[in-house]
Amino acid sequence: MNLIDIGLGYRRDLVDELTSISENKPTFLELVPENWMGLGGYWRKKLQEAAEQYSFVSHGLSLSIGSPDAVDIQFVKRIKKFLDTFNITIYSDHLTFASTNNAHLYDLLPIPFREDAIKHVVSKIKTVQDIIEPSLVLENASYYTEIGAEMDEATFISEIVKRSNCELLLDVNNVYVNAFNHNYDAHNFINKMPLDKVSYIHKAGHKKVSDDLIIDTHGAAIIDPIYEIFDHTLKRMNRRIPILLERDFNIPEMSELQDEMLQLQKIANKHWLAKTSNS
Amino acid sequence: MSDTTPTFKLQQQLATYCRTGKAVEIQGTKPHRLPQYRRLVFTIIVDSLQQAYPITYDLLGDELFRGTVSHFFSTHSCTENEVWKMPHDFLLYAYDQKLAEKLNIPYLIELIELEWTEIEIFGMPDVAITYPVVSSIWHDQLPINPYLKILNFNYPIHKLRKKKNLVNKGNYFVLCYRDLDTLKVQFLEITSLGAVLLNALNDGMNLSQIIAQINRESNLEINENYRKNIALFIQDMIQRKVIPTK
């Protein structure tokens, strides 16, 4: 089976393997721009080698769209330059904050689900979109506690997407993790998402650390319940979109990653081919 | 967002907790889940710094290293967007805190500088390099590898493998450069004259001009013997492509 619209996270542990495989190659690679832009030498050479074989989508970590701080304009301009250099048309980051008072934390913290946060984030998204040009794509994040919430997560996300006209990167693993950690129904959550604004989907594994807590590690294989939520999501969508397998830690043999990608393709094809034959 | 809003305050409290680990009550949270955030954030910081500064880590040991990193992260604002550049903030912190004196390890700052320089040179953005034909090393303008730094140390920190070397306080010059073929970073001890020559070449002077300036402005007189040694040094630099020529 050839992979179509199935991508893989481009990680440094995988750079050589990805340029040497000939079968079951991902259709595209997703990179973290902050890990590559402005770098020369060895890593730039590897990135260019990969760019000769693959197209990229970009998934950032430090835009910090939910931070109380203003948008870091110079940073966004550097992102834009990097995207242009590699003809990258999708720029995503997380609906989280990763800095306050210009001090970075290098991890993703949950934004309080509150009305003034929505207004602030929407304003920042518009500033970013004026520079980046293609719509900013934001990922629903995993979170382990709400912070002073005034509304539920689904409302918070939907309002931001609606008011800013940004797009959504739907991380199905995060939906599962959050549903488990906060006792809600993952399928219902998916049903409440603005699926017409989803520009691509993330799939990943996680780690259960206690009876009531799962941490979003990207360090394990995807489990069956997440495939089920994925299946449910595609069933409700009327179009093909890219699907990305994320794996950041405990990276297994390439053949295992390929098996996971093939499984994603099988589920996607079930919906995509059915729609093609019905149309 | 105004820094007086309750939302700002909540975010500030969470961020401060992640940076310091000091227990705090944050409205509308599951308090028993908050330590996960501190753990996740601090792990990223420690792992990144341990990876950036492996020799410093070995020197300090796990407990002292983690304690130092904890103080760094809680007191120093990391301003770099890219996590791979964050170790530079640790170097700035080490200067600011006078870490060598504080931990009574006289060569500590120099070690951190050396390890950061390797990261910096390894990742310097690419620039176009021309390889000119040189007919005279004395009169032609010699190009310099753009991925290069000369560090001046009080301790032979580049020879740290033998700790006994570190008692030899002196004046050491270490040439750090990116090998243009392997793209790896190389370290080479050079003399003070070698450092002067490379810096002046980098400023656009040729060797004859540099020697004339040294003879004019210093107590050193570049005699025939010196000229032979300079020629050997330049040939070595050409061989290593520190001076990239055809």
Side-chain angles (χ1 to χ4, degrees):
Chain A
M1 185 192 295
N2 289 326
L3 292 170
I4 301 171
D5 286 339
I6 307 291
L8 183 64
Y10 184 58
R11 304 292 177 256
R12 288 183 175 174
D13 289 343
L14 296 172
V15 293
D16 289 324
E17 215 161 352
L18 279 166
T19 49
S20 62
I21 55 172
S22 55
E23 288 185 345
N24 295 326
K25 293 175 75 159
T27 322
F28 65 96
L29 300 176
E30 181 194 74
L31 55 74
V32 175
E34 292 90 337
N35 290 348
W36 300 94
M37 64 186 194
L39 267 182
Y42 178 83
W43 291 118
R44 182 69 169 201
K45 186 178 167 214
K46 292 292 169 188
L47 184 62
Q48 277 164 341
E49 285 171 6
E52 286 167 17
Q53 294 191 32
Y54 297 95
S55 59
F56 291 123
V57 300
S58 167
H59 187 51
L61 290 171
S62 56
L63 178 62
S64 199
I65 200 75
S67 163
D69 299 348
V71 172
D72 181 344
I73 300 288
Q74 292 311 313
F75 169 69
V76 178
K77 284 183 175 172
R78 286 198 293 127
I79 290 272
K80 168 70 174 161
K81 191 177 169 193
F82 177 77
L83 299 180
D84 289 346
T85 302
F86 287 93
N87 295 316
I88 299 172
T89 55
I90 293 180
Y91 171 52
S92 63
D93 203 293
H94 301 79
L95 193 48
T96 55
F97 74 104
S99 57
T100 58
N101 293 336
N102 198 30
H104 287 266
L105 292 120
Y106 307 103
D107 205 356
L108 307 167
L109 305 185
I111 307 169
F113 302 148
R114 299 163 71 96
E115 176 59 30
D116 61 345
I118 291 176
K119 285 181 184 157
H120 180 66
V121 169
V122 167
S123 162
K124 287 182 72 175
I125 291 171
K126 288 177 177 171
T127 302
V128 173
Q129 292 191 149
D130 284 345
I131 299 168
I132 295 288
E133 286 169 10
S135 286
L136 176 62
V137 183
L138 288 172
E139 176 184 327
N140 60 303
S142 53
Y143 65 102
Y144 310 117
T145 173
E146 306 87 353
I147 314 283
E150 290 173 346
M151 62 189 82
D152 64 20
E153 182 196 4
T155 307
F156 182 74
I157 294 172
S158 300
E159 280 300 309
I160 285 174
V161 172
K162 187 172 131 193
R163 294 189 212 175
S164 70
N165 204 28
C166 74
E167 293 184 25
L168 186 62
L169 162 50
L170 185 62
D171 189 313
V172 174
N173 179 58
N174 289 351
V175 173
Y176 176 84
V177 167
N178 292 343
F180 181 89
N181 288 341
H182 306 291
N183 295 311
Y184 63 69
D185 184 86
H187 291 76
N188 280 344
F189 181 88
I190 294 288
N191 297 347
K192 290 179 190 170
M193 286 293 97
L195 296 180
D196 58 321
K197 296 293 283 181
V198 173
S199 61
Y200 75 114
I201 288 179
H202 267 182
K203 297 278 295 175
H206 54 252
K207 186 177 180 185
K208 190 171 175 184
V209 296
S210 68
D211 286 345
D212 69 344
L213 185 66
I214 292 175
I215 300 289
D216 174 31
T217 57
H218 301 176
I222 301 167
I223 61 169
D224 286 344
I226 295 175
Y227 283 119
E228 285 165 22
I229 303 169
F230 176 59
D231 185 57
H232 172 80
T233 305
L234 291 189
K235 196 173 166 183
R236 296 182 62 84
M237 294 183 72
N238 286 320
R239 62 206 160 88
R240 303 177 71 110
I241 52 166
I243 314 294
L244 189 282
L245 173 64
E246 281 188 301
R247 189 68 182 254
D248 296 335
F249 302 102
N250 300 324
I251 294 178
E253 295 293 315
M254 180 56 73
S255 58
E256 281 185 44
L257 296 173
Q258 288 170 314
D259 286 345
E260 281 191 277
M261 288 191 285
L262 286 167
Q263 179 64 13
L264 293 172
Q265 184 79 73
K266 197 174 158 189
I267 296 168
N269 280 354
K270 188 174 82 178
H271 299 284
W272 293 344
L273 298 178
K275 285 194 172 78
T276 307
S277 61
N278 289 339
S279 61
Chain B
M1 186 183 290
S2 159
D3 61 8
T4 58
T5 67
T7 300
F8 174 87
K9 192 179 164 200
L10 291 168
Q11 292 182 274
Q12 190 64 42
Q13 283 177 318
L14 179 59
T16 302
Y17 168 66
C18 288
R19 288 180 63 186
T20 64
K22 285 181 187 160
V24 64
E25 234 178 75
I26 305 176
Q27 179 214 326
T29 59
K30 295 184 175 84
H32 64 290
R33 296 267 177 89
L34 286 175
Q36 294 295 342
Y37 281 107
R38 163 66 181 174
R39 181 183 64 78
L40 291 166
V41 168
F42 192 61
T43 299
I44 288 171
I45 301 301
V46 169
D47 287 355
S48 300
L49 289 174
Q50 191 177 334
Q51 208 177 350
Y53 297 117
I55 307 173
T56 302
Y57 173 79
D58 283 345
L59 181 72
L60 298 184
D62 189 67
E63 194 180 339
L64 182 55
F65 186 80
R66 290 179 76 89
T68 306
V69 170
S70 179
H71 186 260
F72 153 70
F73 193 54
S74 61
T75 58
H76 181 96
S77 293
C78 296
T79 57
E80 299 287 357
N81 291 93
E82 295 95 326
V83 70
W84 70 268
K85 289 183 184 171
M86 181 268 290
H88 183 245
D89 269 305
F90 186 72
L91 173 61
L92 298 178
Y93 161 86
Y95 289 137
D96 186 53
Q97 292 285 316
K98 297 183 171 49
L99 210 54
E101 288 94 324
K102 203 171 171 181
L103 300 182
N104 198 23
I105 305 174
Y107 49 85
L108 181 60
I109 298 280
E110 294 184 355
L111 173 59
I112 296 172
E113 274 180 357
L114 186 78
E115 292 198 274
W116 170 251
T117 301
E118 182 172 9
I119 295 169
E120 188 183 19
I121 290 176
F122 187 72
M124 277 180 176
D126 293 342
V127 293
I129 298 174
T130 52
Y131 292 78
V133 176
V134 170
S135 52
S136 162
I137 62 165
W138 305 104
H139 299 294
D140 288 359
Q141 192 170 332
L142 301 176
I144 295 289
N145 180 330
Y147 318 112
L148 171 153
K149 246 185 166 180
I150 297 168
L151 300 173
N152 184 198
F153 289 146
N154 292 311
Y155 295 91
I157 201 72
H158 51 294
K159 297 175 181 169
L160 185 61
R161 282 184 186 174
K162 289 181 184 169
K163 269 195 183 171
K164 64 178 182 182
N165 286 328
L166 291 171
V167 297
N168 301 323
K169 194 171 179 189
N171 192 23
Y172 300 92
F173 291 89
V174 181
L175 169 64
C176 314
Y177 66 97
R178 188 196 289 169
D179 184 300
L180 296 178
D181 297 321
T182 66
L183 305 179
K184 290 179 181 167
V185 177
Q186 303 292 335
F187 297 96
L188 185 70
E189 186 175 343
I190 58 175
T191 62
S192 58
L193 178 59
V196 167
L197 294 174
L198 289 176
N199 282 327
L201 288 172
N202 204 27
D203 289 341
M205 296 171 76
N206 67 32
L207 275 183
S208 294
Q209 290 168 327
I210 299 166
I211 289 168
Q213 188 178 52
I214 292 171
N215 283 336
R216 197 170 55 243
E217 295 177 7
S218 75
N219 296 326
L220 188 68
E221 192 191 331
I222 305 292
N223 56 27
E224 197 48 39
N225 201 32
Y226 267 116
R227 286 177 70 91
K228 277 183 194 164
N229 286 332
I230 288 172
L232 286 172
F233 174 71
I234 295 297
Q235 287 306 333
D236 184 33
M237 293 297 104
I238 289 172
Q239 191 79 25
R240 295 171 185 274
K241 296 188 183 171
V242 171
I243 296 175
T245 62
K246 267 185 190 159

